Amino acid sequence: MEEQDLVLFEKKGHIAIFTLNRPKAMNAVSAELSERFEALMEEFEKDENLWIGIVTSSHPKTFCAGADLKSVSAGKNIMTSKGGFAGFVHFPRTKPMIAAVDGYALAGGCEIVLTCDMVVASKKAKFGVPEVKRSLVPAAGGMFRLPRKLPEHIANELLLTGDPLPAQRMYDLGFVNVLCEDGKVMEEAMKLAKRVETNAPLAVFEGLLYGSELILHYQAASINLFSLYIARRVAMKTLGVTEEEAWDVSSESMPYLARTEDFREGPRAFIEKRAPRWTGKKKSKL
């Protein structure tokens, strides 16, 4: 399979669709797949006409099974310099991503989902980090992202037992945004993406950036230690920032947005009683 086929890329309006496409290997992440995904993320970030992304799978039963052990055994580096595992989990993006999961998302596959900002899952989907069953740890973000996105005891259950949880349970816990019938994840993910697409893109990006700024303190405390003890201890905390610091970060967004054309377009469209025509451009023409 050619490298460009390992992750398929499609544009639908302002929505970018990334499809993991190594079905014979259950989308296990190889060095080549990581390089391809990172290159596509670079393209996605640079394209001002793309405002939101969806990552999904071509496999009917598996979203992603994690790292390609054959690639690792061959001495290949499945991490990229910018995006880390899969060229994605550490990529410095500014645009929101939706995971569309219609099967198993395990190990690194679950960590790809954890990297996304919203999750659409079918009833057959399952999420888990079984690394401890092989004397490993989920080092591609799972150590600190699971305790941030799930209640403390549930994060501990996943991290310490290695057993997966079904989509229904994850939906009940607030991890999954939309739970749907099998085979309907892309349809539902597109609906969710279009709800985001109707909003001013730069305001969406700033909202995402604000949340990311807050968790940097949390990540700094946990990622360097890679300790289950630390991950468990900091779960469901205040992310290590005071309310004053949070306000400081938040207050930076409005002056930035005020310099853009979309900042004026929102009120103008409201006054003219029409749908706004967003540009998503970072610099105002005025």
Side-chain angles (χ1 to χ4, degrees):
M1 182 180 290
E2 297 294 328
E3 184 172 325
Q4 64 266 25
D5 296 326
L6 296 174
V7 182
L8 305 178
F9 188 54
E10 183 181 4
K11 302 176 184 179
K12 289 189 176 182
H14 298 298
I15 303 169
I17 302 172
F18 305 80
T19 304
L20 304 178
N21 189 42
R22 290 190 73 206
K24 292 183 178 179
M26 294 190 292
N27 291 330
V29 174
S30 63
E32 294 78 13
L33 186 148
S34 292
E35 292 292 341
R36 170 65 173 166
F37 205 167
E38 181 177 272
L40 291 176
M41 287 301 297
E42 292 275 15
E43 182 179 341
F44 174 56
E45 277 291 316
K46 291 176 181 177
D47 192 333
E48 290 187 335
N49 288 317
L50 294 176
W51 300 347
I52 184 169
I54 298 172
V55 58
T56 189
S57 163
S58 64
H59 195 286
K61 296 181 180 180
T62 303
F63 175 78
C64 175
D68 181 359
L69 298 182
K70 290 183 179 179
S71 187
V72 174
S73 298
K76 295 182 178 181
N77 186 4
I78 61 174
M79 308 286 184
T80 62
S81 59
K82 195 171 185 178
F85 177 77
F88 178 67
V89 301
H90 196 249
F91 192 89
R93 62 184 169 83
T94 61
K95 301 176 182 181
M97 292 287 295
I98 297 171
V101 184
D102 196 18
Y104 285 88
L106 302 176
C110 186
E111 289 172 299
I112 290 174
V113 175
L114 284 166
T115 306
C116 294
D117 307 291
M118 292 176 281
V119 181
V120 176
S122 69
K123 292 180 179 179
K124 72 180 180 184
K126 290 188 177 183
F127 303 87
V129 282
E131 281 87 345
V132 291
K133 294 179 180 291
R134 297 292 181 268
S135 192
L136 300 170
V137 293
M143 291 289 290
F144 57 87
R145 284 175 173 152
L146 273 172
R148 177 163 58 86
K149 296 195 174 186
L150 287 168
E152 178 182 4
H153 292 174
I154 304 301
N156 287 342
E157 178 183 344
L158 285 165
L159 288 166
L160 303 181
T161 70
D163 297 333
L165 289 177
Q168 180 66 61
R169 176 73 168 137
M170 296 294 262
Y171 175 75
D172 294 340
L173 292 164
F175 181 86
V176 171
N177 297 80
V178 179
L179 185 66
C180 63
E181 297 298 326
D182 299 350
K184 298 289 186 180
V185 291
M186 275 308 299
E187 179 182 333
E188 294 299 326
M190 285 296 295
K191 288 179 182 178
L192 183 57
K194 287 182 179 297
R195 287 169 55 196
V196 176
E197 186 185 29
T198 60
N199 299 315
L202 295 182
V204 171
F205 303 161
E206 281 296 292
L208 183 64
L209 177 62
Y210 168 56
S212 298
E213 290 266 0
L214 289 178
I215 65 171
L216 283 178
H217 298 271
Y218 179 23
Q219 293 179 357
S222 58
I223 191 171
N224 291 333
L225 296 174
F226 284 111
S227 164
L228 286 175
Y229 168 71
I230 293 297
R232 188 170 70 239
R233 183 179 179 184
V234 300
M236 305 301 287
K237 298 296 183 181
T238 58
L239 309 183
V241 300
T242 65
E243 187 170 323
E244 289 77 12
E245 288 172 323
W247 276 112
D248 288 341
V249 176
S250 180
S251 65
E252 294 173 0
S253 297
M254 194 57 70
Y256 170 81
L257 290 173
R259 298 193 299 270
T260 68
E261 175 63 26
D262 282 353
F263 184 79
R264 284 174 283 275
E265 170 63 5
R268 187 162 55 222
F270 177 79
I271 292 170
E272 297 174 3
K273 296 182 179 181
R274 59 172 174 79
R277 294 185 287 269
W278 309 121
T279 67
K281 294 183 179 178
K282 297 181 179 179
K283 293 183 179 180
S284 173
K285 294 181 180 179
L286 300 180

